């Protein structure tokens, strides 16, 4: 009888090994790589495209430093929340360790969150912030982005400082009033709403005499902004002195319209300001066609996204590597960019 028990124990030992210590060894071997699913709301967005490139660079640097393979599965949601939801399902089915989501509709994050919770796959949202109620649903949800109010205050300060130094820098016709038009991002996007409010409020707080001519939604898009600006130049000839844009791409579209409609004319004196400090915008600042923009430190921004996702994938405490607000928010540092503070090329 004892001999039978001994044989039975010997027979069971390999199986027990697989379920305990050997299983742990296999689990460690699997961590020779991590897989991150990244969904971008719209591939053509210049800011997010630059951020995506920085994220890819971070992954390559980490691979080279550690030898741990990083698989970045980056896809375009094509501005469709249903498409993005399907992408999340696919990421989960592929066994992604963490998801990095630039959400299409910030008010529709619950579906993604429920799927992630069910599969126990953590999520790092970035650039487009889900509503607070959704972010509070689970302790494995994070957000990386810039503070929209800070962006707007810096933008307004660039203009106010220029006005204080020389009124004619904004008041082009010397009538004591700066007449402006406003290019806004998406109507439902929190950054658009906040940037619009606080850029104008900053100018008012600094006692810059401003008067709104008109404004419109251009959805962060250069071509839409260009079409709007062309229309405004024709409707309000000689009236517009300043273009305040929620982002750089729309400001660049306005510049293109000015060059088309009023090539060589007084319209070229119109002042413009944006936000994001994309490469094209920084070049426009250098050339003098854009008065200023706001740098969101894309390198640190991308580093925070990658570090949070990496820590979650490897079971490391996020707080040991990334400074978070409220345990789940990272806000990137921002600085003004004007011709005066650009590095010499």
């Amino acid at each position: 009888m004892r001999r039978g028990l001994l044989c039975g124990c010997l027979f069971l030992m390999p199986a027990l090994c697989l379920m305990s210590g050997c299983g742990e060894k296999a689990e460690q071997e699997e961590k020779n790589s991590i897989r991150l699913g990244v969904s971008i709301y719209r591939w053509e967005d210049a800011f997010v495209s630059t951020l995506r490139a920085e994220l890819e660079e971070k992954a390559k640097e980490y691979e080279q430093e550690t030898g741990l393979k990083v698989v970045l599965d980056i896809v375009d949601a094509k501005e469709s929340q249903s498409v993005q939801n399907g992408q999340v399902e696919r990421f989960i089915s592929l066994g992604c360790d963490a998801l990095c989501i630039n959400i299409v509709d910030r008010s529709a994050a619950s579906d993604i969150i429920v799927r992630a919770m069910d599969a126990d796959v953590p999520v790092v949202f970035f650039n487009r912030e889900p509503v607070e109620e959704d972010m509070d649903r689970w302790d494995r949800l994070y957000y990386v982005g810039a503070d929209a109010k800070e962006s707007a205050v810096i933008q307004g300060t660039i203009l106010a400082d220029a006005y204080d130094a020389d009124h004619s820098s904004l008041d082009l016709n010397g009538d004591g009033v700066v007449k402006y038009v406003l290019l806004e991002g998406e109507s439902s996007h929190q950054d658009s709403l906040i940037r619009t409010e606080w850029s104008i409020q900053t100018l008012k707080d600094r006692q810059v005499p401003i008067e709104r001519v008109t404004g419109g939604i251009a959805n962060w898009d250069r071509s839409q902004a260009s079409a709007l600006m062309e229309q405004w130049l024709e409707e309000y000839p000689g009236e517009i002195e300043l273009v305040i844009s929620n982002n750089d791409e729309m400001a660049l579209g306005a510049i293109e319209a000015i060059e088309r409609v009023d090539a060589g004319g007084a319209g070229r004196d119109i002042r413009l300001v944006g936000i994001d400090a994309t490469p094209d915008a920084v070049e426009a600042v250098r050339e003098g066609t854009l008065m200023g923009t706001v740098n969101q430190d894309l390198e640190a921004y991308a580093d925070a996204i990658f570090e949070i996702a990496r820590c979650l994938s490897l079971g490391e405490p996020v707080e040991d590597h990334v400074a978070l607000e409220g345990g789940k928010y990272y806000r990137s540092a921002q600085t003004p960019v004007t011709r005066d503070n650009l590095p010499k090329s």
Side-chain angles (χ1 to χ4, degrees):
M1 183 68 176
R2 289 181 181 173
R3 181 185 244 179
L5 284 171
L6 182 59
C7 292
C9 289
L10 290 170
F11 177 79
L12 286 170
M13 281 179 67
L16 290 170
C17 179
L18 284 172
M19 288 188 291
S20 58
C22 295
E24 288 173 11
K25 184 178 178 183
E27 202 171 295
Q28 288 171 359
E29 286 173 356
E30 286 176 8
K31 285 307 173 188
N32 286 333
S33 69
I34 59 174
R35 183 166 195 154
L36 307 179
V38 184
S39 177
I40 304 294
Y41 95 100
R42 180 166 65 91
W43 207 256
E44 293 80 12
D45 184 293
F47 175 77
V48 179
S49 179
T50 307
L51 182 59
R52 185 184 79 225
E54 287 284 349
L55 188 59
E56 290 171 329
E57 188 61 33
K58 292 294 176 187
K60 288 178 184 175
E61 288 175 3
Y62 183 75
E63 278 188 336
Q64 292 169 356
E65 290 171 4
T66 66
L68 185 71
K69 184 173 178 58
V70 179
V71 179
L72 281 183
D73 192 347
I74 306 180
V75 294
D76 179 9
K78 302 182 185 297
E79 296 185 89
S80 168
Q81 192 57 61
S82 61
V83 167
Q84 190 167 64
N85 291 346
Q87 291 169 345
V88 168
E89 279 189 4
R90 174 177 165 272
F91 289 153
I92 291 171
S93 71
L94 289 172
C96 285
D97 297 294
L99 308 179
C100 302
I101 306 297
N102 174 218
I103 198 162
V104 175
D105 181 356
R106 69 182 294 257
S107 65
S110 59
D111 190 60
I112 289 174
I113 292 170
V114 168
R115 292 167 201 251
M117 289 174 67
D118 288 344
D120 196 27
V121 179
V123 184
V124 183
F125 292 102
F126 64 95
N127 180 247
R128 300 159 76 87
E129 183 177 347
V131 296
E132 187 176 354
E133 291 80 1
D134 282 333
M135 289 296 295
D136 288 340
R137 294 179 66 174
W138 194 28
D139 61 2
R140 304 194 80 198
L141 303 175
Y142 296 82
Y143 176 73
V144 176
D147 184 284
K149 179 180 175 181
E150 183 184 9
S151 304
V153 169
I154 292 173
Q155 184 185 57
T157 300
I158 290 171
L159 295 172
D161 286 349
Y163 182 79
D164 286 349
D166 179 5
H167 288 6
S168 66
S169 64
L170 297 182
D171 181 12
L172 305 181
N173 61 12
D175 67 352
V177 178
V178 179
K179 294 186 177 179
Y180 74 93
V181 295
L182 188 63
L183 285 166
E184 302 179 60
E186 296 166 72
S187 57
S188 61
H189 196 297
Q190 81 281 3
D191 281 10
S192 179
L193 300 172
I194 295 170
R195 289 176 184 181
T196 294
E197 176 185 358
W198 283 98
S199 59
I200 301 305
Q201 188 59 49
T202 300
L203 289 169
K204 290 178 179 178
D205 291 345
R206 291 284 299 272
Q207 307 299 312
V208 179
I210 53 174
E211 180 182 316
R212 179 183 166 114
V213 177
T214 189
I217 305 287
N219 295 302
W220 312 113
D221 186 75
R222 189 185 297 205
S223 61
Q224 291 185 44
S226 185
L228 271 179
M229 190 66 194
E230 183 171 338
Q231 176 185 325
W232 295 340
L233 288 168
E234 292 171 355
E235 288 180 4
Y236 308 99
E239 288 188 48
I240 301 169
E241 296 172 293
L242 172 65
V243 178
I244 301 173
S245 177
N246 283 170
N247 79 336
D248 286 339
E249 277 297 282
M250 294 187 296
L252 293 169
I255 291 171
E256 291 174 358
I258 292 168
E259 291 174 346
R260 274 199 315 275
V261 173
D262 201 24
R268 280 185 173 268
D269 292 331
I270 293 174
R271 304 295 190 249
L272 302 96
V273 67
I275 293 173
D276 285 341
T278 62
D280 285 353
V282 172
E283 186 57 32
V285 172
R286 193 181 302 281
E287 293 172 353
T289 53
L290 188 64
M291 194 170 195
T293 182
V294 181
N295 180 14
Q296 298 188 30
D297 194 351
L298 279 173
E299 186 176 350
Y301 199 130
D303 188 62
I305 296 169
F306 180 75
E307 276 297 294
I308 294 172
R310 181 195 67 77
C311 288
L312 293 168
S313 299
L314 298 175
E316 298 179 11
V318 175
E319 295 83 356
D320 289 353
H321 300 271
V322 181
L324 298 173
E325 295 178 11
K328 60 175 57 184
Y329 293 93
Y330 175 86
R331 306 291 181 184
S332 66
Q334 302 181 83
T335 54
V337 178
T338 65
R339 209 171 185 183
D340 292 337
N341 63 23
L342 276 178
K344 294 182 179 179
S345 57

